[in-house]
Amino acid sequence: MKCLYGILLLLFSFSFLSAQTYWREAVDTVNQAGYYNIAFSQEIAGYGLESLKLINNKGEEIPYFIRSSVPVKEISKLQMYTVKSSIAKDSLNELIVENLKQEEISRFYLLLREADVSKYVSMKGSNDRRQWFSVMQKRPLQSEQNSKLGSIAIIDFPRGNYKYYQITIWNNSNSPLDITGVGRIENNQLYGQFPELNTGDFITELNDKKQTVISFPSMKGIYLLSKMEIKIADKRHYKRSGQLIEDEYTKGRFNLSSREENISYWNHIRITKDFQLVIDNLDNPPLDISSVKLFGLTRYMCAYLEPHITYHIETGGKSSKHYDIKDFANEIPMNLPVIQTEKLEEVIVPEEVAESPKRFFEKPIFLWSVIIITGIVLILICFKMLNELKKKS
């Protein structure tokens, strides 16, 4: 009995080992001290922008801030369009821009005085300013500081040659934006804004709710989705709505139409291999989907780097950290040298887990009580047996 309880006590007092897992990728070294834009991978971004840490070879944490890739790196001179009308009221701005020569265009550069607000944009096109056609549905609009032009936002839209474009911008304040012009530029070198995500091939299935379900079974890793392009092979007219679903939760919505290029934008949606695109067919035949492409948004970690020192980015940091450099983000130029990363890898660090609190039957006082009581019972049994033997003798 003593041996049995001794073994139990030994087993319960063992410390168990577990492992902590995080991801890391190396940063290319620099030859000169200064601020740099570090182009980290889409894969490590998917594990959480708020959890990223920049670490040097001494194990020290380096302050940084993250900027997205509104592509304004090499813009120095814009050719301005004529703005035929401009309305600014409450949280709304509405501009009509003239494309006098009716050239094929797919991008506007919007100059504005920066404001700390969320912005959304939609567009229509017309050749006579009487009948308007949808060009781009409402989507988020981001802007960045350019060292020469101030704050600038880029509006990408399906290519067209309307003579007039109506640009409508909403923001989440009670005042309109201060927009100073709309322009274009040719032959400019820009940041790669939307890199394609490595999601692998897609498959489509029909469910019993008359829905087309698109999934990506070979996708590996986690991503932040910002843009989606769906190509439809059907020649007939169609207009469908869809949802991006994961774990039975709707994370985003999109529309498909034979009148548009079927490009959807989001600030970012975190997706894993379990997410699905669900298209509602209602009473219509399913669409012939020929291509589905998903894109992230290029982001840069802006930090001050020292020459000939190795750095790496890793996940697992606190989300509530605050670095002084964030307060100076608008003073640090956008057109900094871009540094690449490489060798994304998973790191497994074994660690000891503290001994869990003992339950009452594991505590020594309980075990000794059982031993003592058992001993007393055995002694009483022995006395009883001796007494019975004496009576028989």
Side-chain angles (χ1 to χ4, degrees), residues 88-263:
K89 183 179 180 182
D90 298 328
S91 59
L92 180 72
N93 290 80
E94 185 178 280
L95 301 90
I96 295 180
V97 177
E98 184 179 29
N99 178 22
L100 184 61
K101 299 179 181 179
Q102 292 191 262
E103 298 173 321
E104 289 280 336
I105 56 177
S106 61
R107 171 175 286 173
F108 285 136
Y109 295 85
L110 189 72
L111 301 181
L112 67 158
R113 300 188 191 280
E114 187 57 279
D116 186 18
V117 294
S118 297
K119 301 178 285 290
Y120 301 86
V121 60
S122 70
M123 287 181 56
K124 295 180 180 179
S126 174
N127 290 319
D128 55 13
R129 293 182 64 180
R130 289 190 293 272
Q131 186 175 13
W132 292 92
F133 303 93
S134 175
V135 172
M136 184 184 72
Q137 296 184 4
K138 186 176 179 180
R139 67 174 175 85
L141 178 65
Q142 297 179 334
S143 58
E144 291 282 353
Q145 288 294 121
N146 176 264
S147 58
K148 297 181 180 180
L149 297 173
S151 187
I152 187 168
I154 292 180
I155 307 174
D156 286 312
F157 52 90
R159 182 174 294 276
N161 63 349
Y162 288 111
K163 187 174 181 179
Y164 302 100
Y165 283 89
Q166 182 187 79
I167 305 173
T168 304
I169 301 172
W170 298 264
N171 70 79
N172 63 347
S173 74
N174 295 322
S175 303
L177 300 174
D178 187 358
I179 298 174
T180 58
V182 181
R184 67 183 178 92
I185 190 170
E186 297 177 354
N187 302 321
N188 55 315
Q189 297 179 359
L190 301 174
Y191 289 161
Q193 191 177 15
F194 292 106
E196 188 171 355
L197 303 178
N198 183 23
T199 56
D201 296 331
F202 68 94
I203 61 173
T204 61
E205 298 175 305
L206 294 177
N207 63 19
D208 56 4
K209 299 178 181 179
K210 298 182 180 181
Q211 295 174 320
T212 299
V213 180
I214 304 172
S215 57
F216 300 81
S218 58
M219 173 177 155
K220 297 179 180 179
I222 302 171
Y223 293 103
L224 297 180
L225 174 65
S226 295
K227 176 183 175 183
M228 178 175 69
E229 294 182 1
I230 297 181
K231 300 292 185 184
I232 308 296
D234 292 74
K235 301 301 182 183
R236 62 183 184 269
H237 293 299
Y238 60 86
K239 186 177 181 181
R240 311 283 169 90
S241 61
Q243 305 172 62
L244 191 156
I245 295 177
E246 186 168 344
D247 296 329
E248 300 182 354
Y249 174 72
T250 299
K251 291 187 168 184
R253 300 181 184 275
F254 59 93
N255 295 300
L256 300 175
S257 172
S258 54
R259 293 179 176 176
E260 300 181 3
E261 293 192 14
N262 297 325
I263 300 176

